[in-house]
Coordinates of all heavy atoms in Angstrom, one line a residue:
A133 N 0.8 -1.2 0.0 CA 0.0 0.0 0.0 C 0.9 1.2 0.0 O 0.6 2.2 -0.7 CB -0.9 0.0 1.2
L134 N 2.0 1.2 0.8 CA 2.8 2.4 0.8 C 3.4 2.7 -0.5 O 3.5 3.8 -1.0 CB 3.9 2.2 1.9 CG 4.8 3.4 2.1 CD1 4.0 4.6 2.5 CD2 5.9 3.1 3.2
E135 N 3.9 1.7 -1.2 CA 4.5 1.9 -2.6 C 3.4 2.5 -3.5 O 3.8 3.3 -4.3 CB 5.0 0.5 -3.1 CG 6.2 0.0 -2.4 CD 6.7 -1.3 -3.0 OE1 6.2 -1.7 -4.1 OE2 7.5 -2.0 -2.3
N136 N 2.2 2.0 -3.4 CA 1.1 2.6 -4.3 C 0.8 4.0 -4.0 O 0.3 4.7 -4.9 CB -0.2 1.8 -4.1 CG 0.0 0.4 -4.7 OD1 0.8 0.1 -5.5 ND2 -0.9 -0.5 -4.2
S137 N 1.2 4.5 -2.8 CA 0.8 5.9 -2.5 C 2.0 6.9 -2.7 O 1.8 8.1 -2.5 CB 0.4 6.0 -1.0 OG 1.4 5.7 -0.2
M138 N 3.1 6.4 -3.2 CA 4.3 7.3 -3.4 C 3.9 8.4 -4.4 O 3.3 8.1 -5.4 CB 5.5 6.5 -3.8 CG 5.9 5.5 -2.8 SD 6.3 6.2 -1.2 CE 8.0 6.7 -1.5
G139 N 4.2 9.6 -4.2 CA 4.0 10.7 -5.1 C 2.5 11.2 -5.0 O 2.1 12.0 -5.9
S140 N 1.8 10.9 -4.0 CA 0.5 11.4 -3.8 C 0.3 12.0 -2.5 O 1.3 12.1 -1.7 CB -0.5 10.2 -4.0 OG -0.4 9.3 -2.8
N141 N -0.9 12.4 -2.1 CA -1.1 13.0 -0.8 C -1.8 12.0 0.1 O -2.6 12.3 1.0 CB -1.8 14.3 -0.9 CG -3.2 14.2 -1.5 OD1 -3.7 13.2 -1.9 ND2 -3.9 15.3 -1.5
I142 N -1.7 10.7 -0.2 CA -2.3 9.6 0.6 C -1.5 9.5 1.9 O -0.2 9.4 1.9 CB -2.3 8.3 -0.1 CG1 -3.2 8.4 -1.3 CG2 -2.7 7.1 0.8 CD1 -3.2 7.1 -2.2
E143 N -2.2 9.5 3.0 CA -1.5 9.3 4.3 C -1.6 7.8 4.7 O -0.6 7.2 5.2 CB -2.2 10.1 5.4 CG -2.0 11.6 5.2 CD -0.6 12.0 5.5 OE1 0.0 11.5 6.4 OE2 -0.2 12.9 4.8
T144 N -2.8 7.2 4.5 CA -3.0 5.8 4.8 C -3.8 5.1 3.7 O -4.7 5.8 3.2 CB -3.7 5.6 6.2 OG1 -3.0 6.4 7.1 CG2 -3.7 4.2 6.7
L145 N -3.5 3.9 3.4 CA -4.3 3.1 2.4 C -4.5 1.7 2.9 O -3.6 1.0 3.3 CB -3.6 3.1 1.1 CG -4.1 2.2 0.0 CD1 -5.4 2.7 -0.5 CD2 -3.1 2.2 -1.2
Y146 N -5.8 1.3 2.9 CA -6.1 -0.1 3.2 C -6.9 -0.7 2.1 O -7.7 0.1 1.5 CB -7.0 -0.2 4.5 CG -6.3 0.3 5.8 CD1 -6.5 1.6 6.3 CD2 -5.5 -0.6 6.5 CE1 -5.9 2.0 7.4 CE2 -4.9 -0.2 7.6 CZ -5.1 1.1 8.1 OH -4.5 1.5 9.3
T147 N -6.7 -1.9 1.8 CA -7.5 -2.6 0.7 C -8.2 -3.7 1.4 O -7.8 -4.4 2.3 CB -6.6 -3.1 -0.4 OG1 -5.6 -4.0 0.1 CG2 -5.9 -2.0 -1.1
F148 N -9.4 -4.0 0.8 CA -10.3 -5.1 1.3 C -10.8 -5.8 0.0 O -10.8 -5.3 -1.1 CB -11.5 -4.5 2.0 CG -11.1 -3.6 3.2 CD1 -11.0 -2.2 3.0 CD2 -10.8 -4.1 4.4 CE1 -10.6 -1.4 4.0 CE2 -10.5 -3.3 5.5 CZ -10.4 -1.9 5.3
M149 N -11.4 -7.0 0.3 CA -12.0 -7.8 -0.7 C -11.1 -8.0 -1.9 O -11.5 -7.6 -3.1 CB -13.4 -7.2 -1.1 CG -14.3 -7.0 0.1 SD -15.9 -6.2 -0.2 CE -16.7 -7.5 -1.2
D150 N -10.0 -8.5 -1.7 CA -9.0 -8.8 -2.8 C -8.6 -7.5 -3.6 O -8.4 -7.6 -4.8 CB -9.5 -9.9 -3.7 CG -9.6 -11.2 -3.0 OD1 -8.8 -11.5 -2.1 OD2 -10.5 -12.0 -3.4
G151 N -8.6 -6.4 -2.9 CA -8.2 -5.1 -3.6 C -9.3 -4.4 -4.3 O -9.0 -3.3 -4.9
S152 N -10.5 -4.9 -4.3 CA -11.6 -4.2 -5.0 C -12.2 -3.0 -4.2 O -12.8 -2.2 -4.8 CB -12.7 -5.2 -5.4 OG -13.3 -5.7 -4.2
I153 N -11.9 -2.9 -2.9 CA -12.4 -1.8 -2.1 C -11.1 -1.2 -1.4 O -10.3 -1.9 -0.9 CB -13.3 -2.3 -1.0 CG1 -14.6 -3.0 -1.6 CG2 -13.8 -1.1 -0.1 CD1 -15.5 -2.1 -2.3
E154 N -11.0 0.1 -1.4 CA -10.0 0.8 -0.7 C -10.5 1.8 0.3 O -11.5 2.5 0.0 CB -9.1 1.6 -1.7 CG -8.3 0.7 -2.7 CD -7.5 1.5 -3.6 OE1 -7.7 2.7 -3.8 OE2 -6.5 0.9 -4.2
A155 N -9.9 1.9 1.4 CA -10.2 3.0 2.4 C -8.9 3.8 2.4 O -7.8 3.3 2.7 CB -10.5 2.4 3.7
I156 N -9.0 5.1 2.0 CA -7.9 5.9 1.8 C -8.0 7.2 2.7 O -9.1 7.8 2.8 CB -7.8 6.4 0.4 CG1 -7.9 5.2 -0.6 CG2 -6.5 7.1 0.1 CD1 -8.4 5.5 -1.9
E157 N -6.9 7.5 3.4 CA -6.9 8.8 4.1 C -6.0 9.8 3.4 O -4.8 9.5 3.1 CB -6.3 8.5 5.5 CG -6.2 9.8 6.4 CD -5.5 9.5 7.7 OE1 -5.1 8.4 8.0 OE2 -5.4 10.5 8.5
F158 N -6.6 10.8 2.9 CA -5.9 11.9 2.2 C -5.7 13.1 3.1 O -6.5 13.4 4.0 CB -6.8 12.4 1.0 CG -6.9 11.4 -0.1 CD1 -8.1 10.7 -0.2 CD2 -5.9 11.3 -1.0 CE1 -8.3 9.8 -1.3 CE2 -6.1 10.4 -2.1 CZ -7.3 9.7 -2.2
N159 N -4.5 13.7 2.9 CA -4.2 14.9 3.6 C -4.5 16.1 2.6 O -4.0 16.1 1.5 CB -2.7 15.0 3.9 CG -2.3 16.2 4.7 OD1 -3.1 16.8 5.3 ND2 -1.0 16.5 4.7
V160 N -5.4 17.0 3.1 CA -5.8 18.1 2.2 C -4.7 19.2 2.2 O -4.4 19.8 3.3 CB -7.1 18.7 2.6 CG1 -7.5 19.9 1.7 CG2 -8.2 17.6 2.6
K161 N -4.1 19.4 1.1 CA -3.1 20.4 0.9 C -3.6 21.8 0.7 O -4.8 22.0 0.2 CB -2.1 20.1 -0.2 CG -1.6 18.7 -0.2 CD -0.5 18.6 0.8 CE 0.1 17.1 0.8 NZ 1.1 16.9 1.7
A162 N -2.8 22.8 0.9 CA -3.3 24.2 0.7 C -3.6 24.6 -0.7 O -4.3 25.5 -1.0 CB -2.2 25.2 1.3
D163 N -3.0 23.8 -1.7 CA -3.3 24.1 -3.1 C -4.3 23.2 -3.7 O -4.5 23.2 -4.9 CB -2.0 24.0 -3.9 CG -1.4 22.6 -3.8 OD1 -1.8 21.7 -3.0 OD2 -0.4 22.4 -4.6
S164 N -5.1 22.5 -2.9 CA -6.1 21.5 -3.4 C -7.2 22.3 -4.2 O -7.7 23.4 -3.7 CB -6.8 20.8 -2.3 OG -7.9 20.0 -2.8
K165 N -7.6 21.8 -5.3 CA -8.7 22.5 -6.1 C -10.1 22.2 -5.4 O -11.1 22.8 -5.9 CB -8.7 21.9 -7.5 CG -7.5 22.3 -8.3 CD -7.5 21.7 -9.7 CE -6.2 22.1 -10.4 NZ -6.1 21.5 -11.7
L166 N -10.2 21.4 -4.4 CA -11.4 21.1 -3.8 C -11.7 22.0 -2.5 O -12.7 21.9 -1.9 CB -11.5 19.7 -3.4 CG -11.3 18.6 -4.5 CD1 -11.4 17.2 -4.0 CD2 -12.3 18.9 -5.6
L167 N -10.8 22.9 -2.2 CA -10.9 23.7 -1.0 C -12.1 24.6 -1.1 O -12.4 25.2 -2.1 CB -9.7 24.6 -0.8 CG -8.4 24.0 -0.4 CD1 -7.3 25.0 -0.3 CD2 -8.5 23.2 0.9
G168 N -12.9 24.7 0.0 CA -14.0 25.6 0.2 C -15.2 25.3 -0.6 O -16.2 26.1 -0.6
I169 N -15.3 24.2 -1.3 CA -16.4 23.8 -2.1 C -17.3 22.8 -1.3 O -16.8 21.8 -0.8 CB -16.0 23.1 -3.4 CG1 -15.1 24.1 -4.3 CG2 -17.3 22.7 -4.2 CD1 -14.5 23.4 -5.5
P170 N -18.6 23.2 -1.1 CA -19.4 22.2 -0.3 C -19.4 20.9 -1.0 O -19.5 20.7 -2.3 CB -20.8 22.9 -0.4 CG -20.5 24.3 -0.6 CD -19.3 24.4 -1.5
I171 N -19.4 19.8 -0.2 CA -19.4 18.4 -0.7 C -20.5 18.2 -1.7 O -20.4 17.5 -2.7 CB -19.3 17.4 0.4 CG1 -18.0 17.5 1.1 CG2 -19.6 16.0 -0.1 CD1 -17.9 16.7 2.4
C172 N -21.7 18.8 -1.4 CA -22.9 18.6 -2.3 C -22.7 19.2 -3.6 O -23.4 18.8 -4.6 CB -24.1 19.1 -1.6 SG -24.1 20.9 -1.4
K173 N -21.7 20.1 -3.8 CA -21.5 20.7 -5.1 C -20.4 20.0 -5.9 O -20.2 20.3 -7.1 CB -21.0 22.2 -4.9 CG -22.1 23.0 -4.3 CD -23.2 23.4 -5.2 CE -24.1 24.4 -4.6 NZ -25.2 24.7 -5.4
L174 N -19.7 19.0 -5.3 CA -18.7 18.2 -6.0 C -19.4 17.1 -6.8 O -20.4 16.5 -6.4 CB -17.8 17.6 -5.0 CG -16.9 18.5 -4.1 CD1 -16.1 17.7 -3.1 CD2 -16.0 19.4 -4.9
N175 N -18.9 16.9 -8.0 CA -19.5 15.8 -8.8 C -18.7 14.6 -8.5 O -17.8 14.1 -9.2 CB -19.3 16.2 -10.3 CG -19.9 15.2 -11.2 OD1 -20.8 14.4 -10.8 ND2 -19.3 15.1 -12.4
I176 N -19.1 14.0 -7.3 CA -18.4 12.8 -6.8 C -18.7 11.6 -7.7 O -19.9 11.3 -8.0 CB -18.7 12.6 -5.4 CG1 -18.2 13.8 -4.5 CG2 -18.0 11.3 -4.9 CD1 -18.6 13.7 -3.1
K177 N -17.7 10.9 -8.1 CA -17.9 9.7 -8.9 C -18.7 8.6 -8.2 O -18.6 8.5 -7.0 CB -16.5 9.1 -9.3 CG -15.6 9.9 -10.2 CD -14.3 9.3 -10.4 CE -13.4 10.1 -11.2 NZ -12.0 9.5 -11.3
K178 N -19.4 7.8 -9.0 CA -20.1 6.7 -8.4 C -19.1 5.7 -7.8 O -18.0 5.5 -8.3 CB -20.9 6.0 -9.5 CG -22.1 6.8 -9.9 CD -23.0 6.0 -10.9 CE -24.2 6.9 -11.3 NZ -25.2 6.2 -12.0
G179 N -19.5 5.0 -6.7 CA -18.6 4.1 -6.1 C -17.7 4.7 -5.1 O -16.8 4.1 -4.6
I180 N -17.9 6.0 -4.7 CA -17.0 6.7 -3.8 C -17.9 7.2 -2.6 O -19.0 7.8 -2.9 CB -16.3 7.9 -4.4 CG1 -15.2 7.3 -5.4 CG2 -15.6 8.8 -3.4 CD1 -14.4 8.3 -6.1
L181 N -17.4 7.0 -1.4 CA -18.1 7.5 -0.2 C -17.1 8.4 0.6 O -16.0 7.9 0.9 CB -18.6 6.4 0.6 CG -19.1 6.7 2.0 CD1 -20.4 7.5 2.0 CD2 -19.3 5.4 2.8
I182 N -17.4 9.6 0.9 CA -16.6 10.4 1.8 C -17.1 10.0 3.2 O -18.1 10.4 3.7 CB -16.7 11.9 1.6 CG1 -16.3 12.2 0.1 CG2 -15.8 12.7 2.6 CD1 -16.5 13.6 -0.3
A183 N -16.3 9.2 3.9 CA -16.7 8.6 5.2 C -16.4 9.4 6.4 O -17.1 9.3 7.4 CB -16.0 7.2 5.3
G184 N -15.4 10.3 6.3 CA -15.1 11.1 7.5 C -14.1 12.2 7.2 O -13.4 12.1 6.2
I185 N -14.1 13.2 8.1 CA -13.1 14.3 8.0 C -12.5 14.4 9.4 O -13.2 14.4 10.4 CB -13.7 15.6 7.6 CG1 -14.3 15.5 6.2 CG2 -12.7 16.8 7.7 CD1 -15.1 16.8 5.8
L186 N -11.2 14.4 9.5 CA -10.5 14.7 10.8 C -10.0 16.1 10.7 O -9.1 16.4 9.8 CB -9.4 13.7 11.0 CG -8.7 13.7 12.3 CD1 -9.6 13.4 13.4 CD2 -7.5 12.8 12.3
R187 N -10.5 17.0 11.5 CA -10.1 18.4 11.5 C -9.7 18.8 12.9 O -10.5 18.6 13.9 CB -11.3 19.2 11.0 CG -11.0 20.7 11.0 CD -12.1 21.5 10.4 NE -12.2 21.2 8.9 CZ -13.4 21.3 8.3 NH1 -14.5 21.7 8.8 NH2 -13.4 21.0 7.0
N188 N -8.5 19.3 13.1 CA -8.0 19.7 14.4 C -8.1 18.5 15.4 O -8.6 18.7 16.5 CB -8.7 20.9 14.9 CG -8.5 22.1 14.0 OD1 -7.4 22.3 13.5 ND2 -9.6 22.9 13.8
R189 N -7.8 17.3 14.9 CA -7.8 16.1 15.7 C -9.2 15.7 16.2 O -9.3 14.9 17.1 CB -6.8 16.3 16.9 CG -5.4 16.6 16.5 CD -4.5 16.7 17.6 NE -4.0 15.4 17.7 CZ -2.9 15.1 18.5 NH1 -2.4 16.0 19.2 NH2 -2.5 13.8 18.5
K190 N -10.2 16.3 15.6 CA -11.6 15.9 15.9 C -12.3 15.2 14.7 O -12.3 15.8 13.7 CB -12.4 17.1 16.4 CG -11.9 17.7 17.7 CD -12.7 18.9 18.1 CE -12.1 19.5 19.3 NZ -12.8 20.7 19.8
P191 N -12.8 14.0 14.9 CA -13.5 13.3 13.8 C -14.9 13.9 13.5 O -15.5 14.4 14.4 CB -13.6 11.9 14.2 CG -13.6 12.0 15.7 CD -12.8 13.2 16.1
K192 N -15.2 13.9 12.2 CA -16.5 14.4 11.8 C -17.1 13.6 10.7 O -16.4 13.2 9.8 CB -16.3 15.9 11.4 CG -17.6 16.5 10.8 CD -17.2 18.0 10.4 CE -18.4 18.7 9.9 NZ -19.5 19.0 10.8
I193 N -18.4 13.2 10.8 CA -19.0 12.6 9.7 C -19.5 13.7 8.8 O -20.4 14.5 9.3 CB -20.2 11.6 10.2 CG1 -19.6 10.5 11.0 CG2 -21.0 11.1 9.0 CD1 -20.6 9.6 11.6
P194 N -19.1 13.8 7.6 CA -19.4 14.9 6.7 C -20.8 14.9 6.2 O -21.4 13.9 6.0 CB -18.4 14.8 5.6 CG -18.0 13.4 5.5 CD -18.1 12.9 6.9
T195 N -21.3 16.1 6.0 CA -22.6 16.3 5.4 C -22.4 17.0 4.0 O -21.2 17.4 3.7 CB -23.6 17.2 6.2 OG1 -23.0 18.5 6.3 CG2 -23.7 16.6 7.6
G196 N -23.4 17.2 3.3 CA -23.2 17.9 2.0 C -22.8 19.3 2.1 O -22.3 19.9 1.2
N197 N -23.0 20.0 3.3 CA -22.6 21.4 3.4 C -21.2 21.5 3.9 O -20.7 22.7 3.9 CB -23.6 22.0 4.4 CG -25.0 22.1 3.9 OD1 -25.2 22.4 2.7 ND2 -26.0 21.9 4.7
D198 N -20.5 20.5 4.3 CA -19.1 20.6 4.7 C -18.2 20.9 3.6 O -18.5 20.5 2.4 CB -18.7 19.3 5.4 CG -19.3 19.1 6.8 OD1 -19.1 20.1 7.6 OD2 -19.9 18.1 7.1
V199 N -17.1 21.5 3.9 CA -16.1 21.9 2.9 C -14.7 21.3 3.4 O -14.6 21.1 4.6 CB -16.0 23.4 2.6 CG1 -17.3 23.9 2.0 CG2 -15.6 24.2 3.9
F200 N -13.8 21.2 2.5 CA -12.4 20.8 2.9 C -11.6 22.0 3.1 O -11.7 23.0 2.4 CB -11.8 19.9 1.8 CG -12.5 18.7 1.5 CD1 -12.8 18.4 0.2 CD2 -13.0 17.8 2.5 CE1 -13.5 17.2 -0.2 CE2 -13.7 16.7 2.1 CZ -13.9 16.4 0.8
I201 N -10.8 22.0 4.2 CA -9.8 23.1 4.5 C -8.4 22.5 4.6 O -8.3 21.3 4.9 CB -10.2 23.9 5.7 CG1 -10.2 23.0 7.0 CG2 -11.6 24.6 5.5 CD1 -10.3 23.8 8.3
P202 N -7.4 23.3 4.3 CA -6.0 22.8 4.4 C -5.8 22.2 5.8 O -6.2 22.7 6.8 CB -5.2 24.0 4.3 CG -6.0 25.0 3.5 CD -7.4 24.7 3.9
G203 N -5.1 21.0 5.8 CA -4.8 20.3 7.0 C -5.8 19.2 7.4 O -5.6 18.4 8.2
D204 N -7.0 19.3 6.7 CA -8.0 18.2 7.0 C -7.4 16.9 6.5 O -6.6 16.8 5.6 CB -9.3 18.4 6.1 CG -10.2 19.4 6.7 OD1 -10.0 19.9 7.9 OD2 -11.2 19.7 6.1
R205 N -7.9 15.8 7.2 CA -7.6 14.5 6.7 C -9.0 13.9 6.3 O -9.9 13.9 7.1 CB -6.9 13.6 7.8 CG -5.5 14.1 8.0 CD -4.8 13.3 9.1 NE -3.5 13.9 9.3 CZ -2.4 13.3 8.9 NH1 -2.4 12.2 8.3 NH2 -1.2 13.9 9.2
V206 N -9.1 13.4 5.1 CA -10.4 13.0 4.6 C -10.3 11.5 4.3 O -9.4 11.0 3.7 CB -10.7 13.7 3.3 CG1 -12.0 13.2 2.7 CG2 -10.7 15.2 3.5
I207 N -11.3 10.8 4.9 CA -11.4 9.3 4.7 C -12.3 9.0 3.5 O -13.5 9.5 3.6 CB -11.8 8.6 6.0 CG1 -11.0 9.0 7.2 CG2 -11.9 7.1 5.7 CD1 -9.6 8.7 7.1
V208 N -11.8 8.4 2.5 CA -12.6 8.0 1.3 C -12.7 6.5 1.2 O -11.6 5.9 1.3 CB -12.0 8.7 0.1 CG1 -12.7 8.2 -1.2 CG2 -12.0 10.2 0.2
I209 N -13.8 6.0 0.9 CA -14.0 4.6 0.6 C -14.3 4.5 -0.9 O -15.2 5.2 -1.4 CB -15.2 3.9 1.4 CG1 -15.1 4.2 2.9 CG2 -15.3 2.4 1.1 CD1 -13.9 3.7 3.6
A210 N -13.6 3.7 -1.7 CA -13.7 3.6 -3.1 C -13.8 2.2 -3.5 O -13.1 1.3 -3.1 CB -12.6 4.3 -3.8
A211 N -14.7 1.9 -4.5 CA -14.9 0.6 -5.0 C -14.3 0.5 -6.5 O -14.7 1.4 -7.3 CB -16.4 0.2 -5.0
D212 N -13.4 -0.4 -6.7 CA -12.9 -0.7 -8.0 C -12.2 0.6 -8.6 O -12.4 0.8 -9.8 CB -14.0 -1.2 -9.0 CG -14.4 -2.6 -8.6 OD1 -13.6 -3.4 -8.1 OD2 -15.6 -2.9 -8.7
M213 N -11.5 1.4 -7.8 CA -10.8 2.5 -8.3 C -9.5 2.5 -7.5 O -9.4 2.0 -6.4 CB -11.5 3.8 -8.0 CG -12.8 4.0 -8.8 SD -13.6 5.5 -8.3 CE -15.3 5.1 -8.5
H214 N -8.5 3.1 -8.2 CA -7.2 3.3 -7.5 C -6.9 4.8 -7.5 O -6.3 5.3 -8.4 CB -6.1 2.5 -8.2 CG -6.4 1.0 -8.1 ND1 -6.2 0.3 -7.0 CD2 -6.8 0.2 -9.1 CE1 -6.5 -1.0 -7.2 NE2 -6.9 -1.1 -8.5
L215 N -7.4 5.4 -6.4 CA -7.2 6.9 -6.3 C -5.8 7.2 -5.8 O -5.3 6.5 -4.9 CB -8.3 7.4 -5.3 CG -9.7 7.1 -5.6 CD1 -10.6 7.6 -4.5 CD2 -10.2 7.6 -6.9
T216 N -5.3 8.3 -6.3 CA -3.9 8.7 -5.8 C -4.0 10.1 -5.2 O -3.0 10.5 -4.6 CB -2.9 8.6 -6.9 OG1 -3.3 9.5 -8.0 CG2 -2.7 7.2 -7.4
D217 N -5.1 10.8 -5.5 CA -5.2 12.2 -5.0 C -6.6 12.4 -4.7 O -7.5 11.9 -5.3 CB -4.7 13.1 -6.1 CG -4.6 14.5 -5.6 OD1 -3.5 14.9 -5.1 OD2 -5.5 15.3 -5.7
L218 N -6.9 13.3 -3.8 CA -8.3 13.7 -3.4 C -9.0 14.2 -4.6 O -10.2 13.9 -4.7 CB -8.3 14.7 -2.2 CG -9.6 15.0 -1.6 CD1 -10.3 13.7 -1.1 CD2 -9.5 16.1 -0.6
Q219 N -8.4 14.9 -5.5 CA -9.0 15.4 -6.7 C -9.6 14.3 -7.5 O -10.6 14.5 -8.3 CB -8.0 16.2 -7.5 CG -8.5 16.7 -8.8 CD -9.4 17.9 -8.7 OE1 -9.4 18.7 -7.7 NE2 -10.3 18.1 -9.7
D220 N -9.1 13.1 -7.4 CA -9.6 11.9 -8.2 C -11.0 11.5 -7.8 O -11.6 10.7 -8.6 CB -8.7 10.7 -8.0 CG -7.3 10.9 -8.6 OD1 -7.1 11.8 -9.4 OD2 -6.4 10.2 -8.2
I221 N -11.6 12.0 -6.8 CA -13.0 11.7 -6.4 C -14.0 12.3 -7.3 O -15.2 11.9 -7.3 CB -13.3 11.9 -4.9 CG1 -13.4 13.4 -4.6 CG2 -12.3 11.2 -4.0 CD1 -13.9 13.8 -3.2
V222 N -13.7 13.4 -8.0 CA -14.6 14.1 -8.8 C -14.6 13.6 -10.2 O -13.5 13.3 -10.8 CB -14.5 15.6 -8.7 CG1 -14.8 16.1 -7.3 CG2 -13.1 16.1 -9.1
G223 N -15.7 13.6 -10.9 CA -15.8 13.1 -12.3 C -15.5 14.2 -13.3 O -14.9 13.9 -14.3
Q224 N -15.9 15.4 -13.1 CA -15.6 16.5 -14.1 C -14.9 17.6 -13.4 O -15.0 17.8 -12.2 CB -17.0 17.0 -14.6 CG -17.8 16.0 -15.3 CD -19.1 16.6 -15.7 OE1 -19.5 17.7 -15.4 NE2 -19.9 15.8 -16.5
P225 N -14.1 18.3 -14.2 CA -13.4 19.5 -13.6 C -14.4 20.4 -12.9 O -15.5 20.6 -13.4 CB -12.8 20.2 -14.8 CG -12.7 19.1 -15.8 CD -13.9 18.2 -15.6
I226 N -14.0 21.0 -11.8 CA -14.8 21.9 -11.0 C -14.7 23.3 -11.6 O -13.6 23.8 -11.7 CB -14.4 21.8 -9.6 CG1 -14.6 20.4 -9.0 CG2 -15.2 22.9 -8.7 CD1 -13.9 20.2 -7.8
R227 N -15.8 23.9 -11.9 CA -15.9 25.3 -12.3 C -16.4 26.2 -11.2 O -17.5 26.0 -10.7 CB -16.8 25.5 -13.6 CG -16.2 24.7 -14.8 CD -17.0 24.8 -16.0 NE -17.6 26.2 -16.1 CZ -18.6 26.4 -16.9 NH1 -19.1 25.5 -17.7 NH2 -19.1 27.7 -17.0
R228 N -15.5 27.0 -10.7 CA -15.9 27.9 -9.6 C -17.1 28.8 -9.8 O -17.8 29.1 -8.9 CB -14.7 28.7 -9.2 CG -13.5 27.9 -8.6 CD -13.4 28.1 -7.2 NE -12.4 27.2 -6.6 CZ -12.4 26.7 -5.4 NH1 -13.4 26.9 -4.6 NH2 -11.5 25.9 -5.0
D229 N -17.3 29.1 -11.1 CA -18.5 30.0 -11.4 C -19.8 29.2 -11.2 O -20.9 29.9 -11.2 CB -18.4 30.6 -12.8 CG -18.3 29.5 -13.9 OD1 -18.0 28.3 -13.6 OD2 -18.6 29.9 -15.0
E230 N -19.8 27.9 -11.1 CA -21.0 27.1 -10.9 C -21.3 26.8 -9.4 O -22.3 26.2 -9.1 CB -20.9 25.8 -11.7 CG -20.8 26.0 -13.2 CD -20.7 24.7 -13.9 OE1 -20.5 23.6 -13.2 OE2 -20.8 24.7 -15.1
I231 N -20.5 27.3 -8.6 CA -20.6 27.0 -7.1 C -21.6 28.0 -6.5 O -21.6 29.1 -6.7 CB -19.3 27.0 -6.4 CG1 -18.4 25.9 -7.0 CG2 -19.4 26.8 -4.9 CD1 -17.0 25.9 -6.5

């Protein structure tokens, strides 16, 4: 798992069910394109669940109104995908004018 995460912002990676399910912990960087966008406005790909946000050492189950801020750790569950960056959870490029 560590080798698969080299060159990404993955903090932790677990695989389940012969590698078809991944639980990934991403570190949100200050230059992330997903900063400040409500989760409900992200075009999240099918088969992806944002399971949790760890902010200031406090866990949070996210809602559609939550946003990512630098320093957050985001737990993502993905089926049949190999994500290497938090940006990989969205299907189409995000246009700030549509937010």
